Amino acid sequence: MKRFVQLSFLCLGLMLASPVSMAQADQPTYIRTGKLFDSENGKMLTGYTLKIEGDRIAEVSKNLTVPADAKVVDLTGYTVLPGLIDGHTHLLTLDDLNDETPMADKVLFEGHALRTLRAAKRAKSWLENGFTTVRDLGDSGPFLDVALKRAINEGTVDGPRMFVSGPIIISEGGQVPGLLRPYREVIDEEYTIIRSVDDAINSVRVHVNYGADLIKICSNNSPNNTSLTIDEMRAIVKMAHRYNRKVTAHATSDLAVWEAVTAGVDGIEHGYQISDTTLTLMAKKGVVLVPTDISEPLFHKIYDIVDFQWDREKQMKRAKDQYRDRLQRAIKAGVTIVTGSDNYLNLEMPQGAAAKNVMVAYYEEGMKPLDILRSSTYLSAQFMGMENSLGVLKEGALADLIAVKGDLETHFSEALFDVAFVMKDGKIYLGE
Ligand SMILES: [Zn+2]
């Protein structure tokens, strides 16, 4: 009886409280912008106001009537953009540059609980740096990415919206060359190793069952020298597409890219060496390229941390020339560029800030600021089939948006890091 009374009071309390709190929750927020990035068309617009209702953008207009008592966020001194999308992350991994056995440390000593807690902190740094969405591509233990995604979605921890692959599907040995046979299970913790076409088919079912949003494979296993066969990759792609999942492939050499594209993948990660013939095939089949290039400031940081001074400038120039040449040829061939940082190294700065350096790298390699922003918003969302909800500021889209202080068109590399406001799902995480 006592319990019933308590419950009754509780219910009464909720009934009395609900009209007020619902009204507050329903109150739209109006955001006045200085410049606004039209990511679909790659243009800057001025003088627009956004109306946010719940987790969605209700209206974007120059002629919005803002009620006198409305909640208004004044971002007229800023450029407002859709939340950035990092298309290649490993939130569950942070390797030390001077650690010679990072895989063993992760699997044998860190453990799932500590690893996921650390990843939660890292995820927050992506959000605070303006990435409201990431595609997380493995190196995440046995579906710890799915767990982190759930924790973020339910509001247990703050982080970007995650689209996750689960473990990378890969051939013998994974990306760890020379691992002795008795320790095979160490690799099985981290990767989904397949040894036949039947294995390939089943691996996709396992991943879909455990909550993967997409499938990540390794066409070649660099730095290991094993690789999947075209038949294995073809079987994976066929199964993944049956379950409406995209497939993206780690592929570094021209042969690895060509084989993955021939097998029908949707995206290529890295693609450091790609011939014009393969780029033409990618463009024809609509396969995107995610160049995970390193910016000059990060090159210097890496050399400082490993204390490797020899021929620094020459080596950096060689790498940057190769990146630039490949990126420019890809753009010329009509291949869609999707932003992806692949940032899993401890660079003694917040990981989200380090990740943004990939956009600086594209800028150094001759891509125009507005094209880079389009790759980091609209084109990334389009690759995930989400271009009506993410990476755009238009009516009906999710209210994921950020504001930066400086001028992105004239001072791109500086303004990019001057994030003053972050909203995800209509909730403000940074700023007013
Ligand atoms: Zn990666």
Side-chain angles (χ1 to χ4, degrees), residues 89-125:
T89 62
H90 301 285
L91 295 187
L92 275 296
T93 285
L94 185 67
D95 287 350
D96 219 313
L97 276 158
N98 290 311
D99 183 353
E100 287 176 12
T101 55
M103 181 65 73
D105 285 350
K106 261 186 308 219
V107 177
L108 301 178
F109 297 104
E110 193 177 32
H112 298 167
L114 183 57
R115 188 172 179 182
T116 312
L117 285 165
R118 286 171 169 168
K121 186 181 176 194
R122 247 172 260 141
K124 196 173 177 210
S125 96

Side-chain angles (χ1 to χ4, degrees), residues 88 90 137 139 216 270 342 344:
H88 187 135
H90 301 285
L137 302 182
D139 292 338
K216 161 86 179 288
H270 316 299
D342 193 21
Y344 61 92

